[in-house]
Amino acid sequence: MNDATRARIVAAAYRILAKQGREGLTTRAVAEAAGVQQPAIYREFVDKRGLLDALVAHGVARYFAEKAAHIPHADPIEDLRAGWDGYVAFGLANPAIAALMADPELKLSSAQAGLPYLEARVHRAALAGRLRVSEPQAVSMLHAAGMGTVLALLERPDPELSAATREAILAAIAHSPRAETRPIASAVIALRAALPELVALTPRERDLLDEWLARLTTSRAGGGARPAARD
């Protein structure tokens, strides 16, 4: 099957999903809408789960294509705010896609397709010394809370829920730009984020430094005791 036919099948399935929901998304309906035989769908996508995976990837790609011209805000935390608002808006505008992404039984690989964009924004915040927690933890918290917010809003609309949750998560993972002092952990996180740029060190030295910094971050996050002062 050529790329054009595959794209036609995915586009047809996307339209059916948007109008009729998952219940209306049968291989027969998709085949008729795309102008192909049913066996062609199975040859290309193996099974319905494969088609659903392609659908989510298609929806996420469309969303980020619209954001391609995004100009980063001078404040990386404002970028995280904008990213949160955009993600929630996408989920509310595409409830069927959001439901597929959150379905624990499907475990679609494409449900993680947007993570690199979130990771890039979190990385900017880390480089600026604004994170209270590690980059992976910040990504996980934002991703989980964002998805949960979308699902909650689809079930019961609340005009204040998204902003309130967003600010609670940002307060938990980031410092205010007006903060006069920041914990050592933030400096450690910033240095870990900048490690790939430390070309004066060998790869082995960078790995060793990363290991030390990770231990410092973990010990402080867990409230580990400081070593006793020497005489």
Side-chain angles (χ1 to χ4, degrees), residues 25 108 224:
L25 193 67
L108 301 179

Side-chain angles (χ1 to χ4, degrees), residues 26-41:
T26 65
T27 53
R28 175 177 295 181
V30 173
E32 291 178 356
V36 300
Q37 298 296 317
Q38 279 183 262
I41 296 177

Side-chain angles (χ1 to χ4, degrees), residues 130-154:
R130 297 287 300 280
L131 290 188
R132 296 178 183 272
V133 300
S134 69
E135 289 185 61
Q137 187 175 353
V139 169
S140 295
M141 291 173 68
L142 285 164
H143 180 65
M147 181 171 292
T149 297
V150 168
L151 296 178
L153 288 174
L154 288 173

Side-chain angles (χ1 to χ4, degrees), residues 76-97:
I77 305 305
E78 286 301 321
D79 249 7
L80 288 176
R81 279 195 177 90
W84 172 286
D85 291 343
Y87 176 80
V88 171
F90 167 77
L92 296 182
N94 300 272
I97 293 293

Side-chain angles (χ1 to χ4, degrees), residues 30 32 37 43 48 59 73 88 92 95 109 113 117-118 120 125 127 131 136 139 153-154 159 170 177 185-186 196 217:
V30 173
E32 291 178 356
Q37 298 296 317
R43 283 197 300 270
K48 189 173 181 179
H73 194 283
V88 171
L92 296 182
S109 60
Y117 300 92
L118 175 57
L127 286 173
L131 290 188
V139 169
L153 288 174
L154 288 173
L170 289 178
S186 295
T217 304

